[in-house]
Amino acid sequence: RLPFAAAGSGPVEPCGRRAYAPPAERKRFYQSVSISQGEGGFEINLDHRKLKTPQAKLFTVPSEALAIAVATEWDSQKDTIKFYTMHLTTLCNTALDNPTQRNKTQLIRAAVKFLETDTVCYRVEEPPALAELQKNEWDPVVAWAEKRYNVTIGSSTSILGPNIPASTKDTFVSHLASYNMWALQGIEFVITQLKSLILSMSLIDRHITVEKAVLLSRLEEEYQIRRWGNVEWAHDYDLCELRARTAAGTLFVHLCSESSTVKHKLLQD
């Protein structure tokens, strides 16, 4: 088996630790990347070797579309393998190894708990310009979620946050239960990026784009940047990284629900 497997930093656990620490870069050691179908699903081949997880499990994913996406991550690496750019591989490793040993109920509970501190539910009163910006940008998303799931969410300027009804939480629990374990790992990953269950579900339901979701999650920071100016490189880098992680997590959720077989040959010349 390969002497390594994890790529990039994994989803954040509830206590703040990451499932896998990002390994150092290393020189690319393989020439070709391909996929093959095994008994448990689709596998990734680096030359003649099978990819393994950090816990030495065979790296097997449930859909061909997801396998192609992961293989593309590995094939896109140049002379040096940059593990921290391979978010789909990391999410697959987490789903396969389940390092936190959580079951479906625990994953759903962790996701719904974000409602209590959801980014779009916490509002400011000062300065008035930011308060108005939050109202104009966040209220439509909250209103969409309330209509889409037939729930009451609301917002609050209190440090205690809004009082989310138990019925609202129950509705989201039931909705999330319709996803499989792999997709739930991706949903939690997206939520931790955006710090918002509402934005995450709006994104996964294709109501808003990745760019819009990231912008709304960084609304206060973007307001400050427009007012005080940008810090050279830092803000742009953070923005690009957040977009990449959010896009990868969203794609992961969709591909984990993909049941159809991709008909074309992988990585054709």
Side-chain angles (χ1 to χ4, degrees):
R1 65 181 176 87
L2 301 182
F4 69 95
S9 55
V12 177
E13 300 176 29
C15 61
R17 295 177 291 114
R18 290 187 178 274
Y20 295 112
E25 297 180 7
R26 64 168 295 177
K27 185 177 180 181
R28 176 167 171 160
F29 60 90
Y30 53 91
Q31 295 297 318
S32 63
V33 184
S34 63
I35 67 171
S36 57
Q37 188 168 10
E39 293 183 1
F42 293 88
E43 304 165 359
I44 310 298
N45 308 302
L46 305 180
D47 294 335
H48 61 281
R49 292 169 287 192
K50 300 287 187 184
L51 187 63
K52 298 292 183 72
T53 71
Q55 293 183 12
K57 296 178 182 177
L58 182 64
F59 191 102
T60 306
V61 300
S63 76
E64 186 178 10
L66 179 57
I68 289 176
V70 171
T72 301
E73 281 190 334
W74 286 89
D75 192 60
S76 65
Q77 302 302 306
K78 304 305 181 183
D79 295 334
T80 301
I81 305 172
K82 301 182 185 297
F83 297 105
Y84 51 84
T85 66
M86 302 167 73
H87 304 302
L88 292 174
T89 302
T90 299
L91 283 164
C92 290
N93 281 330
T94 303
L96 287 164
D97 285 347
N98 191 14
T100 59
Q101 294 300 302
R102 288 181 294 168
N103 57 32
K104 187 172 183 177
T105 299
Q106 291 170 316
L107 283 172
I108 293 172
R109 187 183 302 123
V112 174
K113 188 172 180 57
F114 265 88
L115 267 177
E116 300 172 4
T117 56
D118 201 289
T119 293
V120 300
C121 293
Y122 274 83
R123 307 297 176 86
V124 300
E125 294 179 318
E126 298 289 342
L130 178 56
E132 184 68 17
L133 183 63
Q134 290 178 339
K135 177 179 175 60
N136 292 339
E137 297 293 337
W138 286 347
D139 277 5
V141 181
V142 174
W144 172 86
E146 290 180 328
K147 182 178 180 180
R148 163 70 174 83
Y149 300 106
N150 191 25
V151 295
T152 300
I153 299 172
S155 62
S156 174
T157 57
S158 168
I159 192 172
L160 299 177
N163 183 19
I164 305 293
S167 59
T168 295
K169 296 179 182 179
D170 291 341
T171 297
F172 277 107
V173 166
S174 297
H175 177 72
L176 291 173
S178 66
Y179 290 91
N180 60 43
M181 278 286 290
W182 282 64
L184 285 172
Q185 295 278 7
I187 290 173
E188 185 184 34
F189 181 75
V190 175
I191 291 173
T192 60
Q193 307 311 311
L194 301 177
K195 305 299 186 292
S196 170
L197 173 64
I198 297 171
L199 289 178
S200 297
M201 298 315 301
S202 300
L203 174 59
I204 291 167
D205 280 356
R206 297 182 173 91
H207 175 64
I208 57 177
T209 64
V210 169
E211 290 78 10
K212 182 68 171 180
V214 168
L215 176 63
L216 292 177
S217 74
R218 289 165 43 97
L219 199 62
E220 183 172 357
E221 184 174 356
E222 293 298 326
Y223 169 82
Q224 298 295 347
I225 289 173
R226 288 199 296 269
R227 185 176 183 183
W228 303 107
N230 198 5
V231 176
E232 187 175 3
W233 294 110
H235 287 130
D236 291 339
Y237 177 81
D238 289 344
L239 178 61
C240 289
E241 276 293 291
L242 183 55
R243 282 177 178 171
R245 292 192 297 269
T246 302
T250 305
L251 179 62
F252 182 81
V253 173
H254 291 158
L255 295 183
C256 285
S257 303
E258 174 65 53
S259 58
S260 61
T261 301
V262 178
K263 301 298 183 183
H264 63 273
K265 181 183 177 183
L266 169 67
L267 304 176
Q268 290 179 325
D269 294 334

